[in-house]
Amino acid sequence: SYSAMDRWANEAHATDEVDLADPDNLYALRRSYYGLVTYIDRKLGELLAALEKTGQAADTLGVFTSDHGDMLGERRMVQKRCFYEWSARVPLVLRFPDARGAGRTVADPISLLDLAPTLLDVARVPADELLPFDGVSLLGLVDGASTGRPHVLSEYHVEKVRAPCFMARKGRYKLVWIHGHETQLFDLETDPAEWTNLAGEPALRTVEEELRALILQRFDPDRIAADGAAS
């Protein structure tokens, strides 16, 4: 079933105007997207070639990432503005000139907030010269010396949605909380497509409460809702 956030996203992206169950429509949608991916891949290759040509490859850290993913017909949804894996999960590739951590794949969730502390760590900026960050350096993950952040938070408000929306991810579980509306809880190990909402299940009550508490430790949903209504 669709959550309130799903319905708002579908309305904003006019999904009713296209039959996303039609194989020809899905082919056209995904073919276009992969065309974009191919273009970016080619441009990335040109950038790396330019670094080699100009002699800068030996002292340049390359970072490839994105601000959001896309729904490509999954759940009959398109574009972003939701917390499902296709939308919220983005690539992150680090390429060190000395091949540091080469070939290492990390499964632990991280946040884009971690990029700034990582770059400053690479630059060896002293800790006493740093402003406070919500992110953490990823160099421990690169070197295999740490297991990453204990949890990841995400938020989405106001634009195209009608309530503050939050996500908390810890380990295999993801909680989506739509202020004033429903809650979704997914087990990404047993349900990677996020179809089975486990919110309210007695056996997972502690998990649900812990993830909600992580959101409330960081955010004031009532204030965010009031600010959004007034803006």
Side-chain angles (χ1 to χ4, degrees):
S1 64
Y2 286 123
S3 70
M5 194 177 185
D6 298 345
R7 293 191 295 273
W8 297 329
N10 287 343
E11 179 183 321
H13 300 136
T15 54
D16 288 344
E17 297 180 9
V18 178
D19 182 6
L20 291 174
D22 184 320
D24 291 336
N25 290 339
L26 278 179
Y27 177 81
L29 173 68
R30 292 172 178 173
R31 184 176 186 273
S32 298
Y33 187 84
Y34 284 116
L36 299 176
V37 172
T38 300
Y39 175 81
I40 291 297
D41 188 55
R42 184 163 58 246
K43 291 301 176 184
L44 180 60
E46 291 175 4
L47 283 171
L48 294 176
L51 289 174
E52 293 286 351
K53 184 178 180 179
T54 58
Q56 298 178 85
D59 60 0
T60 299
L61 165 65
V63 181
F64 179 79
T65 189
S66 175
D67 58 337
H68 61 81
D70 253 340
M71 306 292 284
L72 293 176
E74 296 86 5
R75 304 176 66 94
R76 297 192 182 182
M77 297 175 68
V78 297
Q79 298 193 34
K80 51 182 182 178
R81 295 189 177 91
C82 65
F83 297 125
Y84 298 119
E85 290 290 277
W86 302 278
S87 172
R89 189 169 182 166
V90 298
L92 176 62
V93 180
L94 303 179
R95 181 182 183 270
F96 290 84
D98 61 354
R100 179 177 184 174
R104 180 181 299 278
T105 301
V106 177
D108 305 84
I110 61 96
S111 170
L112 290 175
L113 293 173
D114 300 330
L115 285 180
T118 301
L119 296 177
L120 291 168
D121 199 4
V122 171
R124 300 179 182 175
V125 177
D128 60 1
E129 295 183 15
L130 299 177
L131 294 172
F133 280 103
D134 289 323
V136 297
S137 172
L138 300 175
L139 290 193
L141 280 176
V142 172
D143 298 331
S146 71
T147 57
R149 51 170 56 243
H151 64 271
V152 171
L153 300 176
S154 188
E155 55 178 321
Y156 189 74
H157 317 306
V158 181
E159 184 190 0
K160 310 298 185 185
V161 297
R162 300 165 196 167
C165 302
F166 306 93
M167 182 269 281
R169 166 79 187 276
K170 183 176 183 180
R172 62 194 289 179
Y173 294 106
K174 175 193 289 186
L175 182 81
V176 176
W177 183 34
I178 308 161
H179 183 52
H181 297 269
E182 63 266 75
T183 297
Q184 295 171 297
L185 177 65
F186 299 109
D187 182 342
L188 297 179
E189 285 191 9
T190 62
D191 179 31
E194 299 171 279
W195 277 115
T196 305
N197 183 7
L198 301 173
E201 291 288 334
L204 293 174
R205 184 177 65 183
T206 300
V207 171
E208 184 174 343
E209 290 177 349
E210 178 186 8
L211 293 175
R212 190 189 306 271
L214 291 174
I215 292 171
L216 292 174
Q217 286 172 12
R218 179 67 181 82
F219 303 105
D220 182 345
D222 291 333
R223 182 187 61 77
I224 293 172
D227 288 347
S231 73

